[in-house]
Amino acid sequence: AKEKVEMDLSPVYFEFYPDDRYYFQSTLKFSEAGRYYAIGDLLYTTDTTAASPFEKAVKVTRLSADSLTFLMNDKGTEKSLQLVKIVVENQ
């Protein structure tokens, strides 16, 4: 049976930049940054700030003009994350 866990995800966000770079902020002050690309329904990221960078992939299950949902595997536990698009204007 799947277990649904409610969590405050307000500090969690991705920033995707036009030059194929990204920044990810998670809970517990965890962050990563690096390069990304997509092939089919897979989104690949490589955290270039890690001591030993490695590529990982998540499966995009929904993509619309204002949201992105993907499945990921966190130490054997499947998790789904939905992101809502916010456009930040350059200042």
Side-chain angles (χ1 to χ4, degrees):
K2 289 188 177 185
E3 179 181 340
K4 187 173 186 177
V5 178
E6 296 294 329
M7 295 177 65
D8 175 17
L9 297 178
S10 59
V12 177
Y13 66 92
F14 267 91
E15 291 179 351
F16 294 99
Y17 304 103
D19 62 354
D20 301 330
R21 292 181 309 110
Y22 76 97
Y23 176 79
F24 172 63
Q25 176 68 50
S26 186
T27 56
L28 303 175
K29 298 183 181 180
F30 173 79
S31 66
E32 66 179 59
R35 315 273 306 149
Y36 77 92
Y37 65 95
I39 297 177
D41 62 356
L42 296 177
L43 173 63
Y44 294 87
T45 59
T46 301
D47 178 9
T48 57
T49 66
S52 298
F54 66 95
E55 184 177 81
K56 54 191 168 192
V58 295
K59 182 176 183 179
V60 176
T61 57
R62 183 171 187 278
L63 178 62
S64 70
D66 65 353
S67 68
L68 166 68
T69 304
F70 57 78
L71 289 176
M72 59 187 167
N73 186 317
D74 182 13
K75 299 175 188 155
T77 301
E78 185 177 86
K79 295 183 178 182
S80 177
L81 181 63
Q82 181 179 17
L83 304 168
V84 177
K85 183 176 185 178
I86 298 173
V87 176
V88 178
E89 297 295 327
N90 288 336
Q91 301 193 13

